[in-house]
Amino acid sequence: MDPKNVKKVGVIGLGKMGADWVANFLEAGFEVVGFDASSEMFERSKKQVAGDLMWLRKARHADDASFDVDACLAKYKIAETEDAFISELQSSQIFLEAIFEDIELKCNMLQNFTPKLPDGIVLWSNTSSLSVLTMAEACGKPGIFVGTHGMNPVHQMPAVEVVRHKKISEEALQFTVDVLKLMGKKPFVATDVSGFWVNKHLMPFMFEAYRALERGEITVADGDWGFKGSLGHPQGVFKLSDFIGMDTMYRVGMAMYLATQDPRLYPPLIVMRMIGRNELGVKTGKGFYEWDGFKIVKERDFSGLQIKDSNKMFAIKE
Ligand SMILES: NC(=O)c1ccc[n+]([C@@H]2O[C@H](COP(=O)([O-])OP(=O)(O)OC[C@H]3O[C@@H](n4cnc5c(N)ncnc54)[C@H](O)[C@@H]3O)[C@@H](O)[C@H]2O)c1
């Protein structure tokens, strides 16, 4: 396992995180082959990857005339069938999964793919909370399975949480850290507990902010400014949530609640309400804010959610 031998990476799941990872791999000079269960994501991921690369060119390669977005994009291939993907994976050195945060789905997918992967490939998972050991065991090759929790948006955030589980080989862990550093990332090693280091602390914090909004203690924009202007967070909880997606917030919160039984992690009612109305955030144009692409149009007013009079709530009609 030599990080310098990495030439090609396979990515399964081309949603928000998968596509951001693709851009980072291309930026590092790797070839990438992507696959998604939904063919809708083929074109959408290409658009997102192109946008990410343009951001990277401006932010990190402004003085580097050799960095060419089109040349990077030419190295990105989409496999339109599972067979085509498996065939491309034979010449890949890393397989990254970024499918939905669902342990059964991830384990089934890994059981299907791992026996068809070439020797020497290292498996990465972008899970944000699930047991990496469970996935490692499900794939049948626990030593080479590594949690690599990239933060949203992956191409912009330097940290990657590299999750050490009980059956990981030191070689695979070191290889992963080295490849990430080669890509310009700043990885750190975390323990395989529910939510690892970042989400273990971030999820209760975010859900507490949602509950405060439900209680009418704060508005969306003031809540975000409070964290940004006081604590230096790059964006507040509500804007971040709109980028993450309310469906993902639900999946991550529920998985962590089921793993820990910590009531703070049970998704607040507002999460279910918003999912029920397809208010998932940026991806559906409406979340805590209204969006035009990646631009905020306006904050939304959630004051209607509050129960303002407990007497009325319990009043029995005569
Ligand atoms: N969104 C975030 O902010 C964030 C941050 C860190 C980590 N993560 C983690 O990254 C992973 C992906 O999250 P996301 O936000 O990109 O989700 P997403 O919903 O944007 O994308 C997931 C993609 O996986 C595809 N998919 C689902 N099942 C599949 C299968 N069996 N085979 C192939 N493709 C399949 C879906 O079609 C979809 O395009 C999750 O594990 C999530 O917890 C998300």
Side-chain angles (χ1 to χ4, degrees):
M1 283 180 201
D2 183 346
K4 292 193 197 84
N5 290 341
V6 177
K7 304 273 179 282
K8 188 168 168 186
V9 178
V11 177
I12 186 164
L14 302 175
K16 179 68 182 81
M17 303 308 280
D20 286 350
W21 270 110
V22 170
N24 254 181
F25 289 132
L26 295 171
E27 183 201 16
F30 305 149
E31 274 178 66
V32 182
V33 56
F35 177 66
D36 197 288
S38 157
S39 57
E40 258 179 49
M41 303 311 289
F42 298 165
E43 277 316 303
R44 203 192 297 181
S45 83
K46 277 190 192 158
K47 269 193 201 147
Q48 192 186 319
V49 171
D52 288 358
L53 285 168
M54 283 191 274
W55 185 91
L56 286 166
R57 184 183 56 193
K58 214 168 152 190
R60 292 208 209 126
H61 302 275
D63 301 328
D64 174 6
S66 67
F67 186 82
D68 180 26
V69 169
D70 289 334
C72 289
L73 284 171
K75 289 187 167 185
Y76 180 34
K77 194 187 270 183
I78 304 252
E80 297 198 354
T81 64
E82 197 178 301
D83 285 348
F85 186 47
I86 289 164
S87 157
E88 290 283 347
L89 289 171
Q90 303 314 308
S91 48
S92 303
Q93 291 74 42
I94 296 170
F95 171 85
L96 169 85
E97 79 76 19
I99 67 171
F100 295 142
E101 187 79 342
D102 177 317
I103 192 78
E104 241 181 84
L105 189 78
K106 286 192 195 272
C107 288
N108 287 341
M109 181 278 291
L110 290 166
Q111 275 162 354
N112 172 29
F113 276 96
T114 315
K116 301 166 191 163
L117 298 178
D119 286 342
I121 198 167
V122 175
L123 281 67
W124 288 5
S125 168
N126 197 58
T127 178
S128 36
S129 65
L130 301 171
S131 160
V132 180
L133 179 64
T134 304
M135 285 186 269
E137 286 179 325
C139 85
K141 292 186 177 171
I144 56 159
F145 193 89
V146 190
T148 51
H149 177 207
M151 313 294 154
N152 190 0
V154 177
H155 62 295
Q156 296 183 23
M157 304 305 284
V160 177
E161 209 165 15
V162 177
V163 183
R164 179 198 286 281
H165 60 83
K166 281 190 188 136
K167 295 192 178 171
I168 199 169
S169 78
E170 284 308 314
E171 202 190 353
L173 185 84
Q174 195 55 51
F175 165 84
T176 300
V177 168
D178 290 344
V179 173
L180 289 167
K181 284 185 179 167
L182 210 88
M183 293 170 62
K185 297 299 217 190
K186 297 205 168 152
F188 66 98
V189 178
T191 302
D192 188 21
V193 293
S194 180
F196 320 126
W197 174 250
V198 173
N199 276 341
K200 179 179 173 169
H201 298 95
L202 182 64
M203 289 301 290
F205 171 80
M206 292 181 80
F207 281 173
E208 198 42 57
Y210 293 9
R211 291 189 190 97
L213 183 72
E214 281 177 336
R215 290 191 297 266
E217 289 171 17
I218 196 83
T219 62
V220 168
D222 282 350
D224 277 352
W225 172 242
F227 290 135
K228 198 174 160 184
S230 316
L231 300 175
H233 292 189
Q235 54 203 354
V237 161
F238 301 117
K239 188 173 172 194
L240 175 63
S241 304
D242 277 358
F243 279 114
I244 293 172
M246 206 41 90
D247 48 344
T248 300
M249 286 301 296
Y250 174 83
R251 285 197 186 95
V252 175
M254 198 48 124
M256 289 180 68
Y257 170 73
L258 291 173
T260 62
Q261 300 292 305
D262 180 342
R264 295 174 308 157
L265 291 162
Y266 193 83
L269 192 57
I270 196 170
V271 177
M272 276 69 110
R273 282 181 175 216
M274 289 172 74
I275 292 174
R277 295 175 189 175
N278 203 32
E279 296 168 0
L280 305 183
V282 173
K283 60 180 132 180
T284 59
K286 203 184 246 192
F288 289 111
Y289 294 89
E290 282 182 22
W291 294 87
D292 177 10
F294 290 102
K295 263 198 176 148
I296 289 176
V297 177
K298 61 172 182 175
E299 72 169 313
R300 294 184 58 215
D301 176 8
F302 286 85
S303 57
L305 282 186
Q306 296 141 37
I307 296 163
K308 292 189 176 122
D309 184 342
S310 60
N311 290 326
K312 274 192 193 145
M313 188 178 164
F314 297 111
I316 298 168
K317 272 195 179 154
E318 299 268 302

